[in-house]
């Protein structure tokens, strides 16, 4: 982690500590993916469970089907919901309009709070205003660190994607990289764009971007393979998600390329790949923590009037580098699906 991001993380440590103090137990549940709404059960979570009145909170993300990153976010949200006596309703749609409709559905159901991602914030502006007009508190997580205050959200939990990108660019310089390509798997996603822009800002070598369709992994593989076959000067592929990174590693082999792969975000298979050396390193934004804090913050607001970050600053959950030096520690939690 570079000095600027470390300083910012320390600045927001009290807010994270507040959430930790409120957490009596963490109880994980199984998760699935897709756009259909589903209530998460709190069965089995008895020790330390809140006795406050039952709340209903909607978690609405831009998850694409099959993206395992969101399983980790949901496990964190489920753990907070189980502890806080919250009925959690999860829904997702990768299209901006679809996500906005899901937020409207939550408003119509008169939920007690809404947690949303802001991958495409302009499309959510009106529906967030409607939630506020109905006195439904709204917090943000994961995507939208530069936009959450403009939309009037109470709080935000996530990573400053520009800072994270800058940190990765500096890491590439230290690794001696000369030519890097940043693979964007969802065009129009502001967080992904900020990551690549951050890398470009600090990386001193040749820099390119490559757009792929993250919903079609065979297409992702063929596109990256073609790029690496065409440009042998590329010595680092920067992926913006674990599934893309693992596919990029396979594409490199198919292309006969010596390019290394670095990535944002983790999952179980990615930590194994780092251990084996097929992935050089990853930037971890701790998605479990994002889901947990988002739900817990709404409980704290309703039951104690708390604002994490005072409503003025985001609560940063990253960036932190995971490489061979520390992957064994992280891997045991990734095996449980919580990192």
């Amino acid at each position: 982690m570079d000095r600027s991001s470390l300083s910012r993380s320390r600045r927001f440590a009290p807010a994270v500590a507040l959430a930790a103090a409120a957490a009596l137990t963490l109880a994980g549940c199984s998760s699935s993916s897709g756009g259909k709404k589903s209530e998460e059960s709190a069965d089995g979570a008895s020790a330390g469970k809140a006795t406050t009145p039952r709340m209903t909170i909607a978690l609405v993300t831009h998850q694409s089907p099959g993206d395992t990153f969101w399983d980790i976010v949901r496990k964190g949200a489920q753990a907070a919901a189980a502890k806080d006596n919250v009925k959690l309703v999860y829904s997702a749609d990768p299209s901006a309009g679809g996500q906005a409709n899901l937020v409207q559905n939550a408003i119509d159901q008169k939920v007690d709070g809404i947690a949303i991602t802001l991958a495409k914030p302009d499309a959510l502006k009106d529906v967030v205003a409607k939630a506020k007009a109905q006195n439904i508190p709204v917090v943000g997580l994961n995507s939208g660190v530069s936009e959450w205050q403009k939309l009037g959200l109470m709080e935000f939990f996530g990573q400053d994607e520009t800072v994270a990108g800058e940190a990765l660019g500096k890491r590439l310089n230290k690794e001696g990289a000369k030519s890097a390509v940043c693979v964007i798997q969802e065009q129009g996603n502001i967080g992904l764009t900020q990551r690549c822009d951050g890398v470009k800002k600090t990386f001193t070598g040749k820099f390119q971007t490559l757009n792929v369709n993250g919903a079609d992994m065979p297409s992702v593989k063929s596109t990256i393979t073609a790029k690496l076959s065409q440009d042998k000067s590329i010595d680092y592929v920067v992926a913006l998600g674990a599934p893309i990174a693992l596919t990029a590693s396979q594409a490199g082999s198919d292309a006969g390329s010596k390019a290394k792969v670095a990535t944002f975000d983790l999952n179980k298979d990615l930590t194994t790949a780092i251990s084996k050396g097929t992935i050089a390193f990853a930037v971890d934004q701790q998605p479990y923590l994002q889901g947990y804090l988002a739900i817990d913050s709404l409980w704290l607001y309703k039951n104690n009037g708390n604002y994490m970050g005072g409503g003025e600053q985001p609560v940063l959950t990253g960036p932190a580098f995971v490489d061979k030096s520390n992957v064994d520690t992280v891997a045991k939690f990734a095996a449980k699906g919580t990192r």
Side-chain angles (χ1 to χ4, degrees):
M1 181 184 297
D2 66 303
R3 290 181 179 177
S4 64
S5 56
L6 177 59
S7 174
R8 298 184 70 176
S9 295
R10 285 173 177 167
R11 190 192 322 160
F12 302 121
V16 177
L18 173 62
L24 300 178
T25 57
L26 298 179
C29 306
S30 62
S31 65
S32 57
S33 61
K36 187 177 181 180
K37 293 176 291 184
S38 60
E39 177 183 347
E40 308 299 344
S41 172
D43 293 344
S46 56
K49 186 174 180 178
T51 58
T52 49
R54 182 80 159 163
M55 290 177 62
T56 298
I57 295 176
L59 172 57
V60 186
T61 78
H62 61 281
Q63 175 186 3
S64 295
D67 189 343
T68 56
F69 174 89
W70 296 100
D71 292 342
I72 305 174
V73 173
R74 291 179 68 180
K75 284 189 176 182
Q78 290 162 3
K83 184 265 298 181
D84 291 337
N85 191 26
V86 165
K87 174 184 176 182
L88 177 66
V89 180
Y90 179 85
S91 60
D93 196 310
S95 71
Q99 188 185 10
N101 287 336
L102 292 175
V103 176
Q104 182 62 59
N105 290 343
I107 296 171
D108 294 341
Q109 293 171 20
K110 302 185 186 302
V111 298
D112 297 296
I114 300 173
I116 61 172
T117 59
L118 299 175
K120 299 171 183 175
D122 288 345
L124 297 173
K125 183 187 303 183
D126 291 344
V127 76
V128 167
K130 290 179 182 179
K132 293 174 62 180
Q134 295 295 320
N135 294 316
I136 299 174
V138 184
V139 301
L141 69 153
N142 180 260
S143 296
V145 68
S146 62
E147 304 292 327
W148 67 280
Q149 286 182 305
K150 296 177 185 177
L151 269 66
L153 273 61
M154 289 199 317
E155 304 160 85
F156 181 86
F157 307 94
Q159 175 174 262
D160 186 318
E161 303 294 6
T162 300
V163 170
E166 291 173 357
L168 194 149
K170 292 177 182 178
R171 177 66 179 261
L172 291 179
N173 293 335
K174 291 180 181 179
E175 298 291 334
K178 302 300 180 183
S179 178
V181 58
C182 192
V183 182
I184 300 177
Q185 72 266 25
E186 182 185 346
Q187 294 188 54
N189 183 318
I190 187 172
L192 300 184
T193 301
Q194 288 170 341
R195 287 179 176 183
C196 285
D197 287 346
V199 176
K200 182 180 181 180
K201 183 177 180 180
T202 56
F203 179 52
T204 58
K206 179 183 176 182
F207 181 83
Q208 307 174 66
T209 57
L210 178 67
N211 290 304
V212 298
N213 179 8
D216 184 351
M217 294 309 287
S219 173
V220 170
K221 184 178 179 181
S222 62
T223 302
I224 298 176
T225 300
K227 182 64 176 179
L228 294 178
S229 297
Q230 176 264 328
D231 189 347
K232 296 296 185 180
S233 72
I234 295 172
D235 54 11
Y236 258 94
V237 176
V238 177
L240 305 182
I244 304 298
L246 295 168
T247 300
S249 179
Q250 297 171 359
S253 296
D254 290 352
S257 171
K258 295 182 179 180
K260 297 180 180 180
V261 178
T263 188
F264 291 81
D265 302 333
L266 295 171
N267 62 20
K268 180 180 177 180
D269 293 335
L270 200 284
T271 56
T272 299
I274 292 175
S275 296
K276 292 181 177 179
T278 54
I279 301 294
F281 60 85
V283 175
D284 181 23
Q285 62 174 306
Q286 301 186 98
Y288 182 95
L289 191 59
Q290 294 173 7
Y292 185 91
L293 292 178
I295 303 306
D296 204 40
S297 71
L298 289 165
W299 180 86
L300 285 166
Y301 174 72
K302 184 175 181 64
N303 290 284
N304 204 46
N306 295 119
Y307 284 84
M308 294 190 198
E312 297 295 328
Q313 296 288 350
V315 177
L316 298 184
T317 62
F321 284 106
V322 177
D323 54 26
K324 277 196 171 183
S325 70
N326 60 359
V327 69
D328 289 343
T329 300
V330 175
K332 63 183 179 181
F333 300 111
K336 299 190 299 181
T338 57
R339 281 296 293 273

